[in-house]
Amino acid sequence: MLRMIVHDVRNPIATLLANLEVLDSIDANDPEVPEILDDLRTATRELDDGMRVLGRLGHWLSGAPTAKPGRADVIAAVRKAVSVPIEAPSNPLVVKGGGEAGDIVAVLVASAMRYGRSAMVRIEDTPDGVVVSVSDPGTPVDAEDREALFDLRGQLELKRASRGRYARFLGLPAIAAAVTDLGGTTWVDEVDGRCRLAFVLPKD
């Protein structure tokens, strides 16, 4: 597990170091500077997001709460966190832990972009709670691997076998722990040939 985390941390650090080295060797007015700064911002955000995910994982492994249970609007939290297309009701959907939905969806969207190159978020109001799903046109997860995807040990085994899907910084088990702490569940399935990762937050 630590080896995988180190691997994920080293990628953005390598980007930061390489771009800083280039910045140090060129003039401040060089036309490449804005692009280099964008790369630096992207790598820094990736590290920041990763540390937040690892924080959840650390809380879970130590038996501490992994999510804030305060009631908030799921739709507003998701719209603030991601910039991909979102299908959602026009009215707010306020549930326990709704403010955490943005960080959770961000992990799912990042994974979808990695495997499917695009992502669609759908938020639904159902009798069982607020269902949030992220789908993409990438290869769906095989049925026999789906149960392991959000489990820490299962995710490690799938990654080693190059099967299933992976979210950097072990994001899938981390967000599954947060959803569980809020009384919800996570799952993966296939809808119209698209891979879908989803979770539900109960209304009560």
Side-chain angles (χ1 to χ4, degrees), residues 24-183:
D24 194 44
S25 66
I26 63 176
D27 186 86
N29 296 318
D30 191 291
E32 291 187 13
V33 169
E35 183 178 348
I36 293 172
L37 291 176
D38 282 343
D39 287 344
L40 289 171
R41 292 187 190 97
T42 298
T44 303
R45 281 195 296 267
E46 185 177 338
L47 276 173
D48 186 48
D49 292 343
M51 294 305 102
R52 189 158 49 247
V53 169
L54 287 177
R56 290 190 191 277
L57 192 62
H59 278 77
W60 176 60
L61 289 173
S62 64
T66 59
K68 298 176 182 177
R71 295 179 64 81
D73 177 21
V74 171
I75 298 174
V78 171
R79 290 195 185 280
K80 183 178 179 180
V82 298
S83 57
V84 299
I86 299 172
E87 293 182 359
S90 57
N91 56 294
L93 296 177
V94 178
V95 297
K96 183 179 75 171
E100 301 281 11
D103 282 351
I104 295 170
V105 167
V107 171
L108 299 181
V109 166
S111 182
M113 297 298 291
R114 181 178 183 183
Y115 291 95
R117 306 298 181 188
S118 66
M120 168 70 76
V121 178
R122 187 173 185 183
I123 304 173
E124 303 171 83
D125 187 6
T126 76
D128 296 326
V130 175
V131 175
V132 184
S133 61
V134 177
S135 66
D136 67 75
T139 303
V141 178
D142 290 341
E144 61 268 26
D145 292 331
R146 292 175 184 175
E147 188 174 343
L149 200 68
F150 289 101
D151 174 76
L152 179 58
R153 189 179 299 275
Q155 175 79 155
L156 293 172
E157 291 174 355
L158 291 177
K159 176 63 175 175
R160 279 195 291 263
S162 298
R163 300 202 321 272
R165 292 190 174 211
Y166 179 70
R168 287 178 176 171
F169 304 97
L170 293 170
L172 296 181
I175 63 169
V179 171
T180 299
D181 274 359
L182 295 171

